[in-house]
Amino acid sequence: MRHSCITSLLVAALSLAAAAPLRATTATLTVAVDKPGHAISPTLYGIFFEDINCSADGGIYAEMVRNRSFEDSDKPDWWEAVGKGPVNFELAVDSAQPVSPKNPHSLRVAIGKPGNGRIGVANNGFWGMALTKGQPYELSLFARGGEGFAGPLTVSLEGSDGTVYAQKSIQSLAPDWKRYQLILKANATDPRHA
């Protein structure tokens, strides 16, 4: 669907993670070499990893944004359009101008008749994103403006009730891809802000 007045923003590879340092804990591993287990075939090799309940993304890889590289399908799964005011817009996965061969997809936000309303996209993560007051959250994203939009782009951590826990802005966007990194510090604790 095309509109007479289209403004667009493309975003690729969003990553939001807690920026706190990891704390080492003491662990003990005991190996009973005098008690061998089952025999293993010498021709067996490789590794098997079954990703159940998002145990890789959001688990082993401590990512907070779900479908951050828009790879889950040809639709923007886990992303939703949000807005206030009389506007119409659509979200789509775009592969026309990739960031790189390793990151071929981006999120295209096409806005028709933008007016003065608030328009954006939201990602609720993996069943919500827990926030801790004073904790810094690092946001890394590639973005570019297009077809009449050059910024500003405001990024925020918000609760489902609209409470804003942290907010920063990128003042201008170039027509070519550029990486942006922001630190958002939560002003309150919300165990499940989405």
Side-chain angles (χ1 to χ4, degrees), residues 19-172:
L22 298 175
R23 293 188 179 94
T25 58
T26 304
T28 303
L29 175 65
T30 304
V31 179
V33 295
D34 59 334
K35 298 178 183 175
H38 299 287
I40 298 174
S41 167
T43 61
L44 179 65
Y45 63 93
I47 188 167
F48 175 78
F49 177 78
E50 188 171 358
D51 189 6
I52 298 174
N53 295 327
C54 304
S55 58
D57 285 341
I60 293 172
Y61 179 63
E63 176 61 60
M64 295 176 73
V65 176
R66 194 164 187 176
N67 191 21
R68 68 185 176 97
S69 290
F70 314 104
E71 298 289 331
D72 285 4
S73 76
D74 58 351
K75 296 181 181 119
D77 291 341
W78 311 111
W79 292 88
E80 65 178 292
V82 293
K84 293 180 182 174
V87 296
N88 66 25
F89 59 108
E90 61 185 53
L91 305 179
V93 173
D94 186 70
S95 303
Q97 188 177 348
V99 173
S100 74
K102 291 183 179 180
N103 192 0
H105 306 295
S106 61
L107 178 66
R108 179 181 169 88
V109 181
I111 305 163
K113 300 179 186 175
N116 294 325
R118 178 180 180 222
I119 300 167
V121 296
N123 185 298
N124 293 327
F126 297 86
W127 304 281
M129 295 182 195
L131 300 177
T132 303
K133 182 178 181 176
Q135 176 76 38
Y137 295 89
E138 182 178 334
L139 173 68
S140 176
L141 69 115
F142 286 90
R144 68 181 180 91
E147 298 181 33
F149 182 77
L153 175 63
T154 301
V155 178
S156 59
L157 296 174
E158 296 184 16
S160 56
D161 62 356
T163 302
V164 177
Y165 295 107
Q167 188 172 73
K168 292 236 175 144
S169 290
I170 299 167
Q171 292 307 310
S172 64

